Amino acid sequence: MKKTSLVICLILGFLFVKAQAPLTLEAAMELAVQHNYDLKNQTLNIALTNKDLEKLRAQRMPTVSGNGDVRYNPILQTSILPGDAFGQPGDAPQRIKFGTNFNLLFGIETNYKLYDPAYQTNVEINRIQNSLETATLRKNTQDVKLNAATAYYEVLLQQTQWKLAGDRINRAEDILNITITQLQAGAALPVDLQKSELEVRNAQNLGTQAQNALERARLNLARQTGIALENLPSLQDNLLQIDADTLQTPVANTASIEGRYEIAEAQNQLKISELQINLQDKLYLPSLELFGNLSAQHLSDDLAVWERWFPFAFVGARISVPIFDGNQKARNKESFQLQMQINQNNLARLREDLSFELRSAAIDLENAITQLQNAAQDLETSKEIFEIDQTRYREGALLFSDFRNTEFSLREAETNLLAAIQNYFIARLRWMRAGGIF
């Protein structure tokens, strides 16, 4: 019994550790891609274009249809034939009724479009449309990854903010204890004690705000990744562990924009417009269709379906040549030509926009690296000054107001470092997105 309980405890412990494994940035982005419903729908759009191609190919297959007709003629149609038809010139015309009361017809008909001038163009349009939908899927996937990465770093930022808020509370409480000691020794004023107590309350309020901001950030990350908030694990990275001195200035390679999926989208849209213009000419070329029929017909006045069946069959070819359509072809081509010019302008503008985006993102990232390096150095300097002034204040060699100013400087340096870290990661994500690295 004890052995079984021990095994159960080990299994539960293993599952708990596995469930609490830290969440990496790559895993968060992958989960976001798997969870995003827009990407799922875009994948279905690609499947729809594949089905459209299958339908086009099905139209090139022969069609076979069966048909049947049952007809009852209570009054047969009367025809009038001249007497000459019966070898009696000059006689009065004769009234003749042709047909039978019952007429049954059953047959099989087949058709095959031997030559369709628009088929290959339609297939090519469908292929380009599939490429367009695929490019859209990949572009949207990059956007989803970018949003997930932004949410991931926001959680890291708020976690760091919450940790620093805890450090501020500890510093405020240390200052309060020192001030109490100084007040008892007559080296501090009562107002200094009130200020110290106020600083503790302010630090606690900031800690509460930081905790609320962290919960909102975690909620957003859970929504992006599809993980229940209560099951969202801790994150693997730590913003404070970043080494600002090892960061390298990026290089803006504008040639990389040609690999952006936005360019592929615009190019495919332009190709579709060109093919649509070509399609208008193909639609007005002659088409050739083969057809055949095999039928059996029953003719009787008493519906004796077990006899009097007369088979017949025929085959043929049908050519269709458009002659006049009211100038629809010309109007359609003009419309697609205008659309093609719009697509050309969009492609040219997109190249300029993406080139500007990449260069701008590289400049922003370079500035963010510089700011981060400066902020990291300022924080180290502020910490050293704070430790020195804390000792001086404890020894009564520094006024409370001067020590408060030192603490404010340290707090400002921490805030500046957090802002610099946030700016760096945002600039880095924008640069990666602009370069199509995602």
Side-chain angles (χ1 to χ4, degrees), residues 23 28 147-162 208-229 232-233 235 239 422:
L23 180 66
N147 293 336
T150 302
Y152 182 89
Y153 283 124
E154 180 65 21
V155 172
L156 290 177
L157 177 70
Q158 296 304 329
Q159 283 180 348
T160 307
Q161 183 70 54
W162 183 61
T208 301
Q209 295 176 10
Q211 184 177 6
N212 292 337
L214 175 58
E215 287 302 314
R216 287 195 299 270
R218 284 173 54 83
L219 178 62
N220 182 38
L221 180 59
R223 182 181 66 87
Q224 295 276 351
T225 58
I227 303 175
L229 180 60
L232 186 66
L235 306 189
L239 293 186
Q422 182 180 27

Side-chain angles (χ1 to χ4, degrees), residues 158-226:
Q158 296 304 329
Q159 283 180 348
T160 307
Q161 183 70 54
W162 183 61
K163 178 183 180 301
L164 293 179
D167 294 340
R168 291 173 184 174
I169 293 175
N170 294 333
R171 287 200 304 266
E173 291 175 346
D174 290 341
I175 294 174
L176 176 60
N177 293 331
I178 296 174
T179 304
I180 293 174
T181 303
Q182 296 285 2
L183 181 63
Q184 292 173 350
L189 300 174
V191 68
D192 294 335
L193 179 61
Q194 292 177 342
K195 292 178 181 179
S196 296
E197 292 173 343
L198 179 61
E199 286 300 322
V200 172
R201 290 194 295 270
N202 290 338
Q204 291 172 344
N205 291 334
L206 290 175
T208 301
Q209 295 176 10
Q211 184 177 6
N212 292 337
L214 175 58
E215 287 302 314
R216 287 195 299 270
R218 284 173 54 83
L219 178 62
N220 182 38
L221 180 59
R223 182 181 66 87
Q224 295 276 351
T225 58

